[in-house]
Amino acid sequence: MSRFRRLLGTWEGMAGFAILIILLLFGLLAPILSPGDPLRIAGRALLAPFSDPAFPLGTDRLGRDVLAGLLYGARTSLAVGLAAAFSAMVLGVCVGMAAGFSGGFVDEALMRVVDAFQIVPGFLLALAFVSTIGVSTPIVVLAIALGAWADPARLTRAQVLAIREQDYVASARVIGMHPAEIAFREILPNALPPVLALSATIVAGAIFTEAALSFLGLGNPNIATWGAMIAEGRGVLRSAAYLSVIPGAALAVTVLGVHLFSEGLGKALGDDGGRGA
């Protein structure tokens, strides 16, 4: 049975996968479902949901379509979350691999850098980075990745330290296999599964961080984001609570889907590890 089938064999994996696929389809089909600029003024301001067939979820204080913002916000959240998680995973795996495989001074030096990044909360680091460098989508992705790479690095190092003492690694050294070949062919494939299970958690954290930055006005102002939509509804929370509730609910469902997918992925990879042992 493949890992993917084992993932879908768990109710968490199936539910999380279904939620993420639906959100991904909404994001990809946003230009078809709601053509045009989602930030344009499309109708009368503060139309309540389901009061006008042209605006099923109503409009905000400026007359922008809430449904359009929700669809394009899904694209932004998933794109930023996946890009930041990928960047954090690549950096973390490279640093953890180098530290665990090299040992000695290199290990100590790299781990001190990891400790330095772990001391500072990821959101505060992202907040300071974006505030200093400037606001744009690549900067937001980089800022989130800088606050998230330390955990994958530490986990990868721990896996490498355990695996490099295995008999098959010692056998590879005896037959004269190059150290780089041992690292990437023998150690890395066996060290990755637990780290990959962590990636879903990083995606969820990245989505939350992007929404928080946008809520504070530090997201890209030229694209629709759920955080900015929630912030837009603060001023009329009592009279038009839907402006904050709808994107807030979408954010919660997205993070729930990522969390369930992470749980299912962890079980699938754990079963795979048990079979491998």
Side-chain angles (χ1 to χ4, degrees), residues 173-195:
R173 292 194 185 99
V174 169
I175 63 175
M177 187 178 291
H178 193 276
E181 191 175 4
I182 294 175
F184 289 102
R185 289 188 57 184
E186 303 295 335
I187 296 179
L188 184 59
N190 294 294
L192 275 181
V195 183

Side-chain angles (χ1 to χ4, degrees), residues 24 27-28 33 49 52 57 66 82 99 114 120 125 130 133 140 155 158 182 204-205 227 247 263 269 272 274:
L24 182 61
L28 292 176
L33 298 175
D52 187 336
L57 295 182
V66 174
L82 291 173
V114 171
V120 182
L125 182 61
V130 172
I133 303 300
V140 170
L155 180 57
I182 294 175
E263 290 291 321
L269 294 176
D272 186 54

Side-chain angles (χ1 to χ4, degrees), residues 7 45 47 55 58-59 62 71 93 108 118 132-133 137 139 166 189-190 197 203 206 209 217 230 232 239:
L7 170 65
L47 283 173
F55 306 102
T59 59
L62 298 178
L71 294 175
V93 168
E108 286 293 326
Q118 284 190 314
T132 303
I133 303 300
T137 301
I139 294 298
Q166 297 295 320
N190 294 294
V203 171
T209 302
I230 296 172
E232 172 66 23
S239 60

Side-chain angles (χ1 to χ4, degrees), residues 77-174:
S77 293
L78 290 176
V80 171
L82 291 173
F86 177 78
S87 302
M89 292 294 295
V90 170
L91 179 58
V93 168
C94 291
V95 172
M97 188 73 184
F101 191 73
S102 300
F105 174 78
V106 173
D107 184 19
E108 286 293 326
L110 291 176
M111 284 302 99
R112 296 298 75 77
V113 174
V114 171
D115 291 340
F117 274 86
Q118 284 190 314
I119 290 173
V120 182
F123 175 70
L124 292 182
L125 182 61
L127 183 63
F129 190 83
V130 172
S131 300
T132 303
I133 303 300
V135 176
S136 68
T137 301
I139 294 298
V140 170
V141 169
L142 179 58
I144 296 173
L146 285 176
W149 70 273
D151 286 336
R154 189 169 290 280
L155 180 57
T156 301
R157 173 183 177 269
Q159 292 295 113
V160 171
L161 288 176
I163 293 172
R164 74 177 188 177
E165 304 300 328
Q166 297 295 320
D167 292 340
Y168 64 88
V169 177
S171 300
R173 292 194 185 99
V174 169

